[in-house]
Amino acid sequence: MLRDALIQAGMNAGLATFLDILGGVLVAATFGMAWVLFGIWIERKVAARIQNRVGPNRVGPYGLIQNFADALKLLIKEVIVPRNADRPVYFLAPVLMVVSVILIAAVIPFSSVVIGTDLNIGLLYVLAVGSLGTLAVLMAGWGSNNKYALLGAFRAVAQLISYEVPMVLALLIPVMLAGSLSMQDLVRSQHVWFLFVAPIAAVLFLIAAHAENGRAPFDLLEAESELIAGYNIEYSGMAFAMFYLAEFMHAFFVAIVFSVLFLGGWRGPGAETYPILGMFYLGIKSMVVYFVTVWLRLTVPRVRIDHLLALNWKIMVPLALANVILTAFLFKLVPTPDYSAARAIAEGEFTGVASGLYRLLGPEFVAMLPLAGVLLVGNIALLVAAAALLRWLARRRRQEVEALVDETEYAPGVAAAE
Amino acid sequence: MDLSEWAFIGVFLAIAGILPAVPIVLGWLIGPRKPNPIKTDTYECGIETIGDAWVQFKVQYYVFALVFLVFDVEMVLLFPWAVAYGNLGLFAFVEVLIFIALLAVALVYVWRKGALEWT
C-alpha cells in the first residue's frame, strides 16, 4: 500500500519498496516492545488478585505507569560486569534473547491484510527463531562464568530442547489439516476452530510452549530457591531488563500463536470485510489465552527436574506421536470437505432445511463439520485410552512400592500386643 | 519466488537486533560505573569465589541432546509430508506409520536403556 503511494509520488521503485518494508518492520517490531510495558502491568495485577493482594497502585492511576518507572530505574542502574565473564558472549546473550522473540512478530497475521510478511514456511520460521532462545540462555549461563548460572543454563537447555519435540509434533496437526505452513493459510482454513478439531494437539502445544518459555511450573532454569536466579544471575540494569522483557514478550507471543493456530486467529463475524475487527478478535482471543498461562504460572507449583523430563519424554512425546498417527488415519477416513459444492448450495436456490443451514452457518463451516466431528471423537477416545493406561501404570507402580513397605513398622500397637 | 518476503525478514533481523541493543548501550552510558574488585567478583552466595565455572558437565545432558537431535531431524522431514498429506493417497499414511514406528522404537530403546532416568 505504502509502496504504491510512494511510487505514484514519483519515488524510485527500489527505495519505495525498502521504505515500505522498513515501515512494516518498525510497526511489527515495536508492537511487542510497546505492549510489554502494558502487559506486565496486567500480569502483575492478575498475580496480585490471585495471591490476594492489590498489586501496583501508587504510580499513576491504578498503578498504570509503574512499569515506566521500573524501566527508568533499570536504565539508570549500574551495569555490573563480573570480572571473569566472557564479555562478547555475556553481552550478546540478552540481545539474542530479545531478537529470538521479536522475530516471531514478522509472520503473525493480525488481520486479513495486516501481516508483516506471509512466508510460505511461516510456521517453520516461528519454530526456528523460537528455538534461538535456547542458544541465548546457554550463552548467558556460560558467559557469566558463574556456577549457578551454568547450572541454570544446563537445565534450561535440557528442558527447552526436550519440550521442543512434543511442541513440533503437536504443530504437525494444524499443518496437516490446513495443508500449508503459511500463517495466513492456517487461519483461513479454520472454518471450525482447530481447538475443537484437534484438542490434544492444542493442549500439548500450550503446555510445551509454556515450558519453552520457562515459566512456572516449568521455571527450573531460574528456580529462585535453588539457583538464586539461574542463567541471568550475573546480569544487572538494562541487560537484565532485556531478559525480563523477552520472557514477557515470549509469553504474549505464545498466546498469539496459539490463538492463530487453534482459535481461528483474526476470524470472526465481519473480520474479512473490516480488517480492524480481525485485529480486535485476535486481541481478545490472545488475551484469554494469555490469562490462562498467567493463571497456570501462579497456581501450579514448580516440578522437579526428573519429573519435568519424564513428563515430556514418557507422556507427552508418546501421546503426540499417537495423536499424529490417529489424526492422519482419520483424516484419510473422512472424505475431504468439498467447499465449492457447499458454496454452490448456499448461493443456489433455497430448497429447504439443508440450504437454509448452509446459509445460516456459512457453507465452509457446515462442509467441515463431518471431518471436525470425527476428529474430535477420535481425540476424546485417544485421551480416554491414554488416561486409562496411565491409571493402570500408576496403580501397578503403587502396588510395587507398597509391597516394599514393612507394615508392622507402621502399626506399633500390633507389634506391642505380640 | 518472491524474494521481497525474505528482504522483509532481513530488515526485521537488523531492527530486532538494534531494539534490545540500544537500551543496553544507553544504560551503559547513563548508569554509574564504579567497579571495584569485590563488586565485580563472581557471585557465590556472598563467600569468596572458588575455582572456575567452566567445567566439564554431566553426561546426562548430552544424552538428552542426542535424543532430541534424532527427533528434531525426523520432524523436519515430517513437515513436508504434513503439508502435502491432503493430496496424497493411502500410501502416504502407511509410509508415515513406518516412519513414526521407527521413531517410537528409538524412544523405547532409549527408555529401556534408562537414559531417560535422571540419576
Side-chain angles (χ1 to χ4, degrees):
Chain A
M1 282 182 289
L2 181 67
R3 178 173 175 269
D4 298 336
L6 286 175
I7 290 176
Q8 269 182 359
M11 196 182 263
N12 178 306
L15 190 63
T17 311
F18 176 74
L19 281 178
D20 187 21
I21 290 174
L22 195 69
V25 167
L26 281 176
V27 171
T30 44
F31 153 78
M33 300 279 256
W35 186 86
V36 163
L37 283 175
F38 183 60
I40 291 177
W41 176 82
I42 295 179
E43 178 151 352
R44 287 178 67 173
K45 276 288 190 193
V46 172
R49 288 295 168 194
I50 287 177
Q51 295 164 349
N52 210 357
R53 295 183 288 119
V54 181
N57 65 343
R58 286 279 179 265
V59 191
Y62 304 102
L64 257 173
I65 54 173
Q66 176 73 47
N67 294 317
F68 294 92
D70 287 348
L72 200 64
K73 184 198 76 176
L74 283 165
L75 192 64
I76 56 174
K77 284 279 177 189
E78 179 175 0
V79 179
I80 305 167
V81 188
R83 197 166 52 240
N84 298 321
D86 187 343
R87 277 168 173 261
V89 180
Y90 178 88
F91 279 114
L92 264 179
V95 175
L96 188 62
M97 191 88 174
V98 176
V99 167
S100 81
V101 181
I102 286 190
L103 278 179
I104 296 176
V107 294
I108 288 176
F110 292 104
S111 83
S112 54
V113 291
V114 184
I115 177 168
T117 172
D118 192 17
L119 290 182
N120 52 3
I121 55 157
L123 191 58
L124 203 60
Y125 167 86
V126 169
L127 290 169
V129 297
S131 55
L132 278 178
T134 314
L135 197 60
V137 170
L138 187 61
M139 279 166 73
W142 189 259
S144 306
N145 197 357
N146 179 305
K147 287 165 193 127
Y148 294 112
L150 193 65
L151 214 56
F154 284 158
R155 281 183 178 190
V157 173
Q159 173 184 335
L160 299 187
I161 62 174
S162 292
Y163 276 86
E164 193 132 334
V165 174
M167 182 163 94
V168 178
L169 282 174
L171 289 184
L172 276 176
I173 312 283
V175 172
M176 205 191 295
L177 292 170
S180 171
L181 280 165
S182 140
M183 299 294 265
Q184 203 64 278
D185 286 354
L186 279 161
V187 172
R188 283 187 200 283
S189 56
Q190 292 186 59
H191 307 302
V192 179
W193 288 3
F194 284 166
L195 177 69
F196 300 111
V197 184
I200 293 184
V203 172
L204 281 177
F205 171 71
L206 193 61
I207 296 175
H210 196 71
E212 193 80 348
N213 190 10
R215 309 191 102 184
F218 306 108
D219 62 342
L220 284 155
L221 45 163
E222 48 188 75
E224 298 91 348
S225 47
E226 334 161 9
L227 294 178
I228 326 298
Y231 65 92
N232 59 23
I233 185 169
E234 289 289 3
Y235 285 89
S236 57
M238 257 316 164
F240 165 75
M242 287 303 119
F243 281 114
Y244 197 68
L245 178 81
E247 190 201 312
F248 275 92
M249 223 154 45
H250 195 166
F252 188 57
F253 280 142
V254 163
I256 295 189
V257 170
F258 184 87
S259 316
V260 167
L261 294 176
F262 293 102
L263 297 180
W266 46 261
R267 290 179 78 105
E272 198 74 64
T273 31
Y274 305 103
I276 194 88
L277 262 180
M279 292 172 86
F280 178 69
Y281 292 139
L282 181 68
I284 300 258
K285 287 168 186 173
S286 44
M287 282 317 289
V288 171
V289 179
Y290 183 65
F291 175 74
V292 171
T293 62
V294 171
W295 185 12
L296 255 179
R297 171 183 175 221
L298 290 161
T299 44
V300 187
R302 185 184 306 135
V303 292
R304 221 166 70 190
I305 183 137
D306 56 334
H307 290 174
L308 175 96
L309 292 166
L311 169 71
N312 178 63
W313 289 106
K314 296 180 181 174
I315 297 176
M316 285 172 66
V317 170
L319 186 62
L321 285 174
N323 192 23
V324 170
I325 292 176
L326 179 86
T327 310
F329 176 66
L330 292 177
F331 193 60
K332 273 282 152 265
L333 207 62
V334 185
T336 319
D338 192 350
Y339 297 122
S340 48
R343 240 169 267 140
I345 293 174
E347 282 157 16
E349 248 178 85
F350 186 81
T351 48
V353 184
S355 70
L357 210 62
Y358 272 98
R359 274 176 209 199
L360 191 67
L361 300 171
E364 285 94 354
F365 178 76
V366 178
M368 197 176 163
L369 272 182
L371 177 69
V374 169
L375 281 172
L376 181 63
V377 171
N379 267 268
I380 293 171
L382 178 61
L383 207 59
V384 169
L389 185 67
L390 274 177
R391 237 170 99 89
W392 178 73
L393 283 173
R395 189 172 294 160
R396 213 181 56 170
R397 179 82 172 273
R398 192 173 144 196
Q399 279 164 356
E400 273 172 23
V401 172
E402 277 178 352
L404 294 175
V405 177
D406 186 2
E407 291 286 342
T408 53
E409 226 177 284
Y410 294 98
V414 180
E418 278 169 5
Chain B
M1 204 188 117
D2 188 9
L3 270 180
S4 77
E5 287 180 356
W6 289 100
F8 184 90
I9 299 292
V11 178
F12 208 109
L13 188 63
I15 302 278
I18 292 169
L19 276 181
V22 165
I24 293 178
V25 172
L26 214 61
W28 181 260
L29 293 175
I30 295 174
R33 225 174 308 163
K34 293 172 195 145
N36 67 51
I38 293 173
K39 194 191 266 177
T40 60
D41 211 4
T42 304
Y43 172 73
E44 209 162 289
C45 273
I47 56 168
E48 269 176 52
T49 317
I50 301 166
D52 202 49
W54 292 333
V55 290
Q56 289 186 322
F57 54 88
K58 204 172 159 172
V59 75
Q60 187 100 45
Y61 295 104
Y62 189 66
V63 174
F64 276 104
L66 274 181
V67 180
F68 161 74
L69 203 63
V70 174
F71 274 87
D72 210 37
V73 171
E74 301 233 22
M75 277 174 322
V76 169
L77 297 174
L78 274 174
F79 266 107
W81 165 82
V83 170
Y85 188 61
N87 308 321
L88 298 175
L90 198 65
F91 181 65
F93 174 66
V94 177
E95 233 179 7
V96 91
L97 205 62
I98 297 167
F99 197 64
I100 289 183
L102 284 175
L103 265 180
V105 167
L107 184 63
V108 169
Y109 174 76
V110 173
W111 196 333
R112 290 289 291 265
K113 271 274 177 186
L116 299 182
E117 309 297 330
W118 195 268
T119 44

